[in-house]
Amino acid sequence: MSSHMDRQEDVLRWEAARQDLAGAQKRVDQLGASEPVAQFRRQVAVLEQALAADPRVFRSVFIEQGMAAVAWEFKQRDISEQITLAIWEQLLAGGDASTVLMRFIWNLPVGKKRAFLRGVDRYLSERYPMFKGLSDSWPAENAIEPYIIEPEERVKDSRLVNTGYMGYLDLGYSLREVELFVWLEAIRDKQCAEKPCELGVFLAGQKEPDGGCPVKINIPGMFELIGLGKFAEAVDLLESANPLPNVTGRVCPQELQCQGVCIHKRPMTIGQVEWFLAEWDKKVKALVAEAVRDGAVPEVARGTSVADLVQSAGLAAPAEAAFDPWTAAIKPPVGIVGSGPSGLIAAYLLAREGFPVTVFEAFHELGGVLRYGIPEFRLPNELIDDVVTKIKLLGGRFVTNFVVGKTATMQELIDAGFWKLFVGSGAGLPKFMNVPGEDLINVMSANEFLTRVNLMGADQPETETPLPEVAGKHVLVIGGGNTAMDAARTAQRLKGNVHIVYRRTQAEMPARVEELEHAIEEGIVVATLRSPSEFHGDAETHFVKSATVAIMELGEPDDSGRRRPIDTGQTTHMKADLVIMALGNSANPIIKDSEPRLAVSRWGSIELDREGSQETSLAGVYTGGDAARGGSTAILAAGDGQAAAREILAEPELPISQVKAMVAGAKHYTEMGESLASVVEKVDLTPEIAELVVNAPVVARSAQAGQFARVLPAGEGAELIPLTLADWDADAGTITLVIQDVGWSSHQLCALEVGQAMAGAAGPLGQPSKLHQYGADERVVFTAGGLGLPPVYPILREHLRLGNHCVLIAGFRSKDLMFWHGEGDRVESLKAEFGDLLEVIYTTNDGSFGVEGFVTTPLEGLLVAAASGDGPKLAEVIAIGPAVMMRAVADLTRPYKVPTVASLNSIMVDATGMCGACMVPVIEGDRLVRKHACIDGPEIDAHVIDWAKFLPRFNQYKDQEKAALERHGVI
Ligand code: FAD
């Protein structure tokens, strides 16, 4: 109970307070009437209105004040557990307070940041094991490891190995937590003024800097934005220089570039952060789109960085999609040759500036080496699709199955309306060792092996493209670059017993360090200082069995700066059921052969016209990437594509009327290229043979006798198959293909009806027939075995048009399998048109029509007659049909020295020289030389083909082909 005295004091205090209040109220009233306060009140009213319209306007004010509050906490040397946990919880909560903290910590001196890291390490590492020990020697030597799947797990399938920071999502961490892991990495950055990661390090007397980023990403700027919690802005900054961060971040040799010159002992994980940002952007946009769809935007947005993106995600894509550069026609069209990284980046940057862009790609899929070379476990194909989608959203168009140099020359593209061309055709021609036994079956290029698996899915049981058996087999991968690692790790996943054989030591290997480490972790044996000198095979089957391997030692450095491998003279043996050559690539000759004005180096790479420019010797034609550099890297290719795009953007503008005409022409041409390969006519020649007239306007325009098309049936898992052109009609825009139902793919093609389409038809491929004019006393003899007649037909027609006297010997098994021989049919029509110039002899094996026997029977008669002078001289023999028939013809004509060619096109994958699968062993002098049916042929001098080595190749995949037919219930 209070005393009387206390009560008295309370009254006095109350009286004093009342007087204070009255005085204060008086002062408030007086000040309230003053001009400064009136002005303040007006400002508050404006802010209140703004707050009602958009509450986010107050964020920055709040952030500034919040910073001051947090600063007080960081005055201590160490941050207490309570404060660390509170800060972390606030960071996790996202939203403005979280951003305040991120910015505050980003701006702290390194010592204070370290104090925070100590707290994180001490008090949070139980919850986040990756924080354990993080503060030791931080920031120079310690970082959060991006997530990598354990070797025993990852070799089971082709799942992504390095899942990076995003991999922590799979372990149950939230997206916000992952953002914070990346932010913790960003705050390690020193923000070096010299920006070595971006610009490289310039050394005295050195023209090019060491390291740095070939596409000049503002890396310090990117880290700063992350440090400030501005993830979306960091994405924008990154993509303004490189639209492929999700790709290059994963495959760049960062240890030689940005990270190689990082001043931290443990470099900033620049590549990982780059591809994290791209993935983050994708994920957040998907979340936002989902939330917008569900009407739950405020929920998603509350307290997370998603809020920042609501607006941009909602608006960006439709706004971009709305502009169609082909309709607007305000910029001239640009053609891009090849859809590898160099082509994609050029296409993106030009499309972004409103240029109508068409990418012409030889394959049916886009991405170049990124798709057919680098496996899914390293670079998911979905990421290439993302880039393609971005370009399409900007109005970019893609014409697949279009081989520039074959389907059209560069000049034809320019004539069609394309203002400028960028040639990013890569360096797709695989190198071989040229050692004995390299012709054996199952000695193949890494391009072929990887294309079969990555592009055609040959490792999947339900696809049609065959693959050598790998499980339990001895696989030797020769080489030490990324290609070797990819081939070896792919074979390891197919359960092979894999050895990488490399002539130097691991230190000299050109592969990315991470790939080599991963290969070794996955159980691949690396045999260094070894170089195969000969392969040995089974005498009967011609399958490879083993290798003699030279033992090397290192000598003095060579031009590459690496120590030269020297043969010690000693050898060892290694078992080998499959040998994969990963020795690098040289330039594919298709483009240079089609354009003599294009200057190329002695290695076939396209030369740049002048320093500091990507322009070639052909004005308006630019190049870059592997096409210009030889085998290089994805980021250097992207850098070249970027440089070329910038050069094109800097070109003076054309008059708008000219632009409109060019766009109209290029658009028409693009649409022709895009049109479906649909069947417009079909004739069943026999129950097993179909004649299809197929819509293929750009192929038909360029077709010449002797060339072939590479077709892809529709449907999942289909296989690419070469088919010699039986005819074409440039005006109607069609090609004619005759197909025998022998395997599942040909079965699918034969089953096509009018109106149905195949997935694609590329061509015309290969060399056209070499045509010579002969005298009236000479004969050109064609031996066509069964399905050899359709390819013979256009060649025969050209000879007749030249006025040559021709003999066609067309052989069939029996009368009921014959076609094109009736009145009004093709052969009879030629006879009608060319009269005496054409003599036709039919043979049937069973004698049911014409001469009984093989085509060789009448051929022999002609040869004997010519030799004895009783018949006309034989100028040349052209044999097309089953391989054994062609060999028999070659054997027959050889003693008579009658020039003979065989048309070979059966074992191919890409059919443009990229894989080397169509290898033909040829004897030149006393040397065995590789020819490729798709590049050098399909017609090859039948007398120099080593048929004994060549024929077994036709049986290489017989078992798989049979299994496919059984699987589909055809047999
Ligand atoms: P490419 O990627 O080769 O693309 C060229 C495209 O042009 C292809 O799609 C091709 O089909 C098309 N084309 C060719 N000729 C024509 C024509 N006449 N008409 C139309 N289209 C045509 N680099 C790295 O940085 N890191 C790595 O980890 C890495 N790993 C690799 C692994 C493998 C297996 C291989 C083979 C290469 C690897 N590289 C790597 C190298 C890198 O992929 C290349 O340097 C890069 O892809 C080159 O890009 P580009 O645009 O010049 O050509």
Side-chain angles (χ1 to χ4, degrees), residues 811-815 843-849 851-855:
F812 295 91
R813 270 186 283 143
S814 71
K815 184 175 179 229
T843 66
T844 49
N845 299 4
D846 60 4
S848 51
F849 192 91
V851 179
E852 181 175 349
F854 302 113
V855 290

Side-chain angles (χ1 to χ4, degrees), residues 247-248 250-253 257 336-344 359-375 378 399 401-408 422-428 446-447 450 454 481-487 511-512 515 582 585 588 590-591 594 624-638 640 710 910 912 914:
V247 171
T248 51
R250 292 166 204 257
V251 303
C252 267
Q257 296 174 343
I336 307 284
V337 182
S339 64
S342 65
L344 288 179
V359 179
F360 295 97
E361 167 55 50
F363 267 129
H364 57 291
E365 296 275 7
L366 302 166
V369 168
L370 305 180
R371 186 174 305 261
Y372 68 71
I374 303 183
R378 208 148 73 78
V399 176
N401 291 306
F402 193 108
V403 185
V404 175
K406 293 287 180 188
T407 315
F422 172 77
V423 182
S425 51
N447 279 9
L450 291 169
N454 296 340
N482 289 318
T483 310
M485 301 304 136
D486 286 343
R512 292 179 80 226
E515 310 312 332
N585 293 316
N588 187 309
I590 287 181
I591 289 189
S594 73
D626 286 4
R629 293 172 180 270
S632 174
T633 64
I635 195 72
L636 286 172
D640 290 349
R710 184 196 68 206
D910 77 303
T912 63
M914 199 278 301

Side-chain angles (χ1 to χ4, degrees), residues 357-598:
V357 174
T358 302
V359 179
F360 295 97
E361 167 55 50
F363 267 129
H364 57 291
E365 296 275 7
L366 302 166
V369 168
L370 305 180
R371 186 174 305 261
Y372 68 71
I374 303 183
E376 193 75 4
F377 58 79
R378 208 148 73 78
L379 182 70
N381 284 335
E382 162 201 330
L383 306 180
I384 305 157
D385 299 338
D386 290 346
V387 182
V388 170
T389 304
K390 275 190 204 170
I391 298 170
K392 285 185 177 167
L393 277 172
L394 296 167
R397 295 170 83 156
F398 291 86
V399 176
T400 49
N401 291 306
F402 193 108
V403 185
V404 175
K406 293 287 180 188
T407 315
T409 60
M410 292 190 287
Q411 188 59 50
E412 282 164 338
L413 291 179
I414 291 166
D415 295 344
F418 288 96
W419 176 50
K420 306 277 178 195
L421 295 178
F422 172 77
V423 182
S425 51
L429 206 67
K431 290 183 186 160
F432 286 85
M433 299 188 80
N434 294 322
V435 295
E438 223 176 9
D439 54 283
L440 289 163
I441 298 175
N442 279 355
V443 178
M444 61 170 59
S445 73
N447 279 9
E448 177 182 349
F449 180 71
L450 291 169
T451 303
R452 285 182 185 274
V453 176
N454 296 340
L455 188 72
M456 306 309 298
D459 55 329
Q460 306 299 319
E462 65 279 10
T463 56
E464 305 311 324
T465 304
L467 189 71
E469 214 180 320
V470 180
K473 301 288 179 186
H474 296 281
V475 183
L476 302 188
V477 178
I478 320 298
N482 289 318
T483 310
M485 301 304 136
D486 286 343
R489 295 173 70 199
T490 301
Q492 183 78 356
R493 280 157 178 74
L494 294 171
K495 308 200 172 5
N497 171 7
V498 186
H499 283 69
I500 290 174
V501 181
Y502 182 57
R503 59 194 183 140
R504 294 179 161 110
T505 72
Q506 281 186 27
E508 287 83 24
M509 279 189 170
R512 292 179 80 226
V513 170
E514 181 182 80
E515 310 312 332
L516 174 61
E517 282 171 7
H518 286 179
I520 294 169
E521 281 171 15
E522 287 164 12
I524 292 163
V525 181
V526 181
T528 50
L529 295 173
R530 298 284 182 277
S531 180
S533 54
E534 184 169 359
F535 297 102
H536 312 279
D538 182 300
E540 222 166 273
T541 64
H542 285 257
F543 276 78
V544 67
K545 286 277 148 227
S546 68
T548 300
V549 179
I551 298 176
M552 317 297 280
E553 64 185 12
L554 290 184
E556 291 304 307
D558 63 14
D559 292 345
S560 72
R562 294 173 302 166
R563 292 180 63 193
R564 190 189 303 275
I566 298 172
D567 193 340
T568 60
Q570 292 165 304
T571 59
T572 178
H573 260 80
M574 294 179 87
K575 287 186 182 164
D577 302 303
L578 172 62
V579 178
I580 302 172
M581 295 289 180
L583 306 162
N585 293 316
S586 51
N588 187 309
I590 287 181
I591 289 189
K592 82 166 169 59
D593 286 354
S594 73
E595 181 42 271
R597 292 171 296 170
L598 195 68

